[in-house]
Amino acid sequence: MTKDMKTQFITDNKGNKVSVILPIREYKKMIEELEELEDIKLYDEAKADKGKSISLDDYLKKRTMKKKKND
């Protein structure tokens, strides 16, 4: 594979896209961005829940559980 590899699609017999192949660098970047968005979402949820706070350990546990659930 070369550096110039672009995103590729796998199609069914009717030409419908059913899967995607992308360079690992793009995949890793996408995962990092999704994790960043999840962190922002959790921050916003915590900020909206006025008066109730959680410890960093609880936050990290919650984040890890959500990540495992999505994997």
Side-chain angles (χ1 to χ4, degrees):
M1 304 258 165
T2 67
K3 281 180 136 180
D4 298 335
M5 181 182 163
K6 298 186 181 192
T7 303
Q8 300 175 345
F9 297 97
I10 297 174
T11 57
D12 63 14
N13 293 337
K14 295 179 181 179
N16 299 314
K17 294 177 184 175
V18 294
S19 297
V20 66
I21 300 172
L22 58 134
I24 193 72
R25 184 177 298 156
E26 287 182 37
Y27 170 77
K28 287 180 179 181
K29 182 178 179 187
M30 182 179 66
I31 294 300
E32 287 175 12
E33 290 173 358
L34 287 171
E35 288 174 349
E36 176 87 13
L37 288 172
E38 181 66 19
D39 289 344
I40 292 168
K41 180 182 171 189
L42 289 172
Y43 172 80
D44 289 343
E45 288 174 6
K47 194 172 181 181
D49 192 10
K50 296 177 180 158
K52 183 179 178 188
S53 62
I54 61 172
S55 69
L56 177 61
D57 288 337
D58 289 342
Y59 162 78
L60 293 174
K61 287 176 189 174
K62 183 177 179 181
R63 180 173 183 241
T64 300
M65 288 186 340
K66 281 189 175 185
K67 187 175 179 183
K68 286 181 182 178
K69 180 180 169 185
N70 292 330
D71 287 344

